[in-house]
């Protein structure tokens, strides 16, 4: 698979995760507005957080792969820059 095709596939996966997280966040908001059960709200909120983390890690992973292959991330990031972004999510 070409590098550009791999990047497009990675972007699709990230967008799907972000859309799923958006839907989950809307469900959390609705539950809070309805005075929903604390356990249900926290469970759904944890799912949102996890989905966002996975999306962030996928973005950084793709950038790191490109960085190691070419010497720079897709937007000129260095390995050190990407490492700092990674630790922001950890």
């Amino acid at each position: 698979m070409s590098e550009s095709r791999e990047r497009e596939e990675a972007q699709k996966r990230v967008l799907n995760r972000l859309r799923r997280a958006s839907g989950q966040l809307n469900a959390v908001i609705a539950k809070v507005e309805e005075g929903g059960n604390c356990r249900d709200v926290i469970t759904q909120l944890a799912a949102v957080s996890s989905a966002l983390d996975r999306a962030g890690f996928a973005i950084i992973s793709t950038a790191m792969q490109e960085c190691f292959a070419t010497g720079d991330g897709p937007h000129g990031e260095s390995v050190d820059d990407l490492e700092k972004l990674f630790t922001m999510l950890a």
Side-chain angles (χ1 to χ4, degrees):
M1 191 181 304
S2 75
E3 208 174 292
S4 136
R5 181 78 176 134
E6 287 177 24
R7 192 175 310 125
E8 288 173 16
E9 288 298 317
Q11 183 179 22
K12 276 185 187 179
R13 287 190 301 272
V14 166
L15 287 171
N16 286 337
R17 284 184 174 150
L18 291 173
R19 287 185 182 108
R20 192 171 23 244
S22 177
Q24 290 169 324
L25 182 56
N26 288 334
V28 170
I29 292 167
K31 285 200 181 295
V32 170
E33 289 174 341
E34 297 165 2
N37 177 292
C38 180
R39 181 182 305 269
D40 293 343
V41 170
I42 296 302
T43 300
Q44 197 67 27
L45 195 56
V48 172
S49 179
S50 179
L52 291 173
D53 286 346
R54 285 192 309 269
F57 288 131
I59 290 167
I60 292 171
S61 172
T62 300
M64 289 183 100
Q65 289 172 6
E66 186 167 326
C67 188
F68 289 130
T70 65
D72 280 324
H75 302 286
E77 305 92 337
S78 70
V79 172
D80 287 340
D81 294 334
L82 294 170
E83 184 178 332
K84 287 176 187 170
L85 290 172
F86 182 80
T87 58
M88 287 175 64
L89 291 172

